[in-house]
Every structure is written in C-alpha cells, then in structure tokens.
Amino acid sequence: MKYLCQVWFDGAILDAMTKEERVELDANSLNYDRDLVESGHMIVAQALQPPTSAVTVRVRRGETSVTDGPFSETKEALGGFILIEAKDLNDAVRVAAGIPLAKLGAIEVRPIHEFGAK
C-alpha cells in the first residue's frame, strides 16, 4: 500500500542551525532516501521551497483567486514529502520515524486513496 509521509517543521529551527548542522541534516536526509530506495520503500521524495514562495488558488462560483502564501496560523509548514510503499500502517510509521526531520518536526503519515480500488 502507498503512504504519503508529509514532513512538517518550523522553518525557524532550520534558520537557527549552523551551516555545519544543515550540511549534516541534508546528508542524513539524502542517505535515508538512499536506504529507502534500497529497501524498496521509496517511490519519490521531494523537498519544498519555503512557504513564502507559495500561492494559494481557490475557485468560487467560477472565479479564480490567487493569494500569496499558504493560509496557516501554525509555526510548522509543509517542508517536503516522501511517497512510500509499505506493507501496512505499522511499516509506514516505522519508515516515517527514520526520517531525520522527524527529530525536529512532525511526519504525517497518510494512506493514498486508490480510485477504483475495491
């Protein structure tokens, strides 16, 4: 079954890191991605640009509106995602717990809905 692991964290934590700490976090993240590829869990992983680069699109009564940034009152923002293949939720949670940013933020694990699946 496929699961989306959404990586949520407070960007201020990353901003406060030294260059060496960021390099180490990046290396740990890339190494974990390689481990997931080797174990057969990895489908795709991507980091996202900061929330300040985002726009929010809404369509209401046929009218499209675009506003800068996400509408979020929380400190944590979606920073990236990993789409994995796991045998069950317990396996997906185990994989998510290994994501290096889980130590600084939160990983939301959500099953993928397969349209047409019974």
Side-chain angles (χ1 to χ4, degrees):
M1 182 168 202
K2 293 179 182 132
Y3 292 87
L4 181 65
C5 300
Q6 298 178 54
V7 181
W8 293 84
F9 58 90
D10 181 349
I13 292 172
L14 295 182
D15 293 341
M17 293 176 123
T18 65
K19 181 180 178 182
E20 293 78 20
E21 290 170 329
R22 288 292 300 265
V23 167
E24 181 180 4
L25 178 61
D26 290 347
N28 289 342
S29 295
L30 291 172
N31 287 335
Y32 192 64
D33 286 354
R34 281 191 279 279
D35 291 346
L36 293 179
V37 168
E38 290 175 10
S39 70
H41 286 95
M42 175 69 75
I43 296 173
V44 65
Q46 292 292 317
L48 299 175
Q49 294 291 329
T52 55
S53 68
V55 296
T56 299
V57 177
R58 287 186 170 77
V59 178
R60 300 292 186 271
R61 294 183 284 284
E63 295 292 320
T64 301
S65 68
V66 180
T67 55
D68 291 339
F71 283 104
S72 177
E73 297 298 323
T74 65
K75 288 185 180 182
E76 291 185 338
L78 182 62
F81 67 90
I82 303 175
L83 183 61
I84 63 169
E85 182 73 39
K87 62 184 175 187
D88 56 27
L89 181 59
N90 289 332
D91 189 31
V93 167
R94 182 190 58 74
V95 169
I99 297 171
L101 276 166
K103 295 175 183 169
L104 302 175
I107 311 300
E108 179 182 330
V109 178
R110 190 180 301 187
I112 296 296
H113 176 74
E114 301 278 350
F115 286 95
K118 294 183 181 187

